[in-house]
Structures are given as structure tokens and as C-alpha cells.
Amino acid sequence: MVNFSLEGKIALVTGASYGIGFAIATAFAEAGATIVFNDINRELVDKGLAAYKEKGIEAHGYVCDVTDEEGVNRFIAQVTGEIGVIDILVNNAGIIKRIPMHEMSAAEFRQVIDIDLNGPFIVSKAVIPHMIKKGHGKIINVCSMMSELGRETVSAYAAAKGGLKMLTKNICSEYGQYNIQCNGIGPGYIATPQTAPLRERGSDGSRHPFDSFIIAKTPAARWGTPEDLAGPAVFLASEASNFVNGHILYVDGGILAYIGKQP
Ligand code: NAP
Ligand code: GCO
Ligand code: CA
């Protein structure tokens, strides 16, 4: 029988107070996992704990900035001591800055790379030795359409998510021998706070031009929801995917396959 269960597993989802991370962690809990998450400040962590509790999930929340190597090492040691070795890591925490490249400062570019690419490196590096000792592990990196495609104003984000795709393949290559599978999940355009500016309605109720564009570009003719990612994430976190490694599973309603509806 194919095993999609996460019973007895400890899952860390970074930046999972809300949005995609929260939906993935909720699905993991429903599949039997113990949920650990971090966020950038106490207020967000408390908000997340309350939201998990509302769903009947006793999550473990910690304040930790994924770009702070010392802080991450302390965080992972604390979780390992208090709860146990992390079996499943989802590198979800991320930001985007939508600025034309020629107007973007190097500091702004660096900040996106730091959180979206250095962060997954730092957290994965802290968790991998424990996974090696335990004899198994699952690492899921939250990639993006921008791991494959570019567009105006998202140069830093695309560079980070393109790098995250290759970091995924490299972790697969270097640690597959220890029964660690590292895959990416590539959400399409998902309705979360991060994309709210792209969906803002006009004062007359009209759709934001980018909203109309995404509807035309998606065969499913809708934005995704964080819940659309739940099943694919449980699959990648479960033993059902033990021979899937270095793969980016796009959950985009078909955007990457489709030239787009004729205007
Ligand atoms: P979101 O709503 O902005 O949530 C991101 C989470 O990460 C927030 O809780 C955020 O906290 C946290 N975070 C930011 N910087 C952090 C740091 N340095 N350390 C720890 N936590 C940090 O984003 P989302 O839409 O749910 O996206 C989650 C992931 O999916 C991101 O990696 C994003 O790039 C990716 N993604 C999103 C979409 C989409 O359409 N929404 C599509 C493809 C991929 P703050 O609230 O303080 O920022
Ligand atoms: C943007 C969007 C995208 C989505 C997502 C698509 O400005 O183009 O924010 O980057 O967040 O990454 O997969
Ligand atoms: Ca954010």
C-alpha cells in the first residue's frame, strides 16, 4: 500500500504563520505530522499558533529569522532537544520586491537573495546532519514560476528562485546517498498577502490588469489557493515519493504549459 501518511514525523515549515506555509503545515498535521514553524517576530508566531489552534493543531512556534545563521543553529538545536529530530523541512519563508531592476538598489537585491536563497541554504545546512544520523529526511524548497520564467520588476526574486531550483538539485545530488530526498514545489499564482497587490480591484470593481493577465495565462482560468498545494506537498513529504529526488513539482494550474488565451 502506498504510504502517504506522515504519522510520527516532525515537520518544520519556515515562515508558516499564514499563507502557503500555513496551508502546507495544516495538511501535514492532517496527515499525522507534528508541526514546528518559525516566523520573523513574536506577534506573527502568536498569530500563527492561534490559527493552528483554531484548526485543532497544537503547533510549536518559534521566533527565528532564516537569514541569521547563529540564530537558526540555536533554533534547530532547541527544536531537536525539545521535540525531536526534524524529518521534513519545508523552506517556505520568502519575500518579494517588485522594483524595476535599474531602480533597485544592491541592498534591496541582496535582501531578497538573503531571505529567499541564503535562508534555505542556512536552514537546510543546520538540519541535514540530523537527517543523516537518523537515516532519512525530506527537504522541500518552495520555488516559483520565477524559477523558470522572468518578468518585469522581479529580477531579485527570479534570481533567488532560479538559484533555489539549482540548490534543490544540488542537495539531491549531494545527500541522496543518505536517503534524503530534496525536491521543489513550484506554486503558480496563488492568492496570498504576497500577491494581494496584483489582485487589487479598481474603484469601479474592475480587475487589476495583472489579475486579468493571470486568468488568461492559466488554463484553469483562476488563481491558485494555498490549499491547492496541500496534496502535492504531502506527497513530496511522504514515503510515497522516496524515489523522487531533485524534481520541481509545479502546482500552477498549467501556466507553464500554456501560451495563454487569445486576448
Ligand atoms: P507571504 O504571505 O509573504 O508569507 C511569507 C512568510 O515568510 C511570512 O510569514 C513572512 O513573514 C515570512 N518571512 C519573511 N521573511 C522571513 C525571514 N527572514 N525569516 C522567517 N520568516 C520570514 O508569502 P506566501 O505568498 O505565503 O509565499 C510563501 C512562499 O511561497 C514564499 O517563498 C514565496 O516566494 C513562494 N511563492 C508564493 C507564490 C504566490 O503566488 N503567493 C507563488 C510561488 C511561490 P512576514 O509577514 O514578516 O514577511
Ligand atoms: C509576481 C508574483 C509571483 C508569485 C509567484 C509566482 O510578482 O510575479 O509575486 O512572483 O509570487 O512567485 O510563482
Ligand atoms: Ca511577506
Side-chain angles (χ1 to χ4, degrees), residues 44-179:
L44 267 173
V45 170
D46 290 344
K47 178 181 139 193
L49 285 168
Y52 285 113
K53 208 166 180 66
E54 241 175 67
K55 289 189 172 268
I57 300 167
E58 286 305 318
H60 304 267
Y62 296 80
V63 177
C64 181
D65 176 342
V66 295
T67 65
D68 168 10
E69 189 168 14
E70 290 309 305
V72 166
N73 291 339
R74 281 195 305 274
F75 164 48
I76 298 302
Q78 189 180 357
V79 169
T80 307
E82 288 176 358
I83 302 164
V85 171
I86 291 162
D87 300 289
I88 302 158
L89 166 63
V90 179
N91 286 305
N92 165 77
I95 64 165
I96 191 167
K97 288 185 184 298
R98 299 184 183 95
I99 304 168
M101 191 177 118
H102 67 287
E103 293 170 15
M104 182 180 254
S105 70
E108 288 166 326
F109 188 93
R110 276 197 201 97
Q111 190 193 4
V112 175
I113 298 289
D114 207 12
I115 295 168
D116 294 10
L117 181 55
N118 293 346
F121 160 74
I122 289 168
V123 182
S124 301
K125 177 172 167 275
V127 172
I128 281 170
H130 299 283
M131 289 180 167
I132 290 175
K133 236 183 272 166
K134 198 165 183 184
H136 67 251
K138 295 281 187 181
I139 298 175
I140 300 168
N141 292 321
V142 182
C143 295
S144 160
M145 295 288 92
M146 274 59 219
S147 297
E148 301 295 340
L149 303 168
R151 84 174 184 87
E152 300 79 4
T153 76
V154 296
S155 59
Y157 184 83
K161 293 299 188 179
L164 186 57
K165 174 173 76 171
M166 283 316 302
L167 179 63
T168 301
K169 293 180 183 220
N170 216 74
I171 293 172
C172 150
S173 306
E174 196 162 3
Y175 297 101
Q177 62 184 305
Y178 301 107
N179 189 26

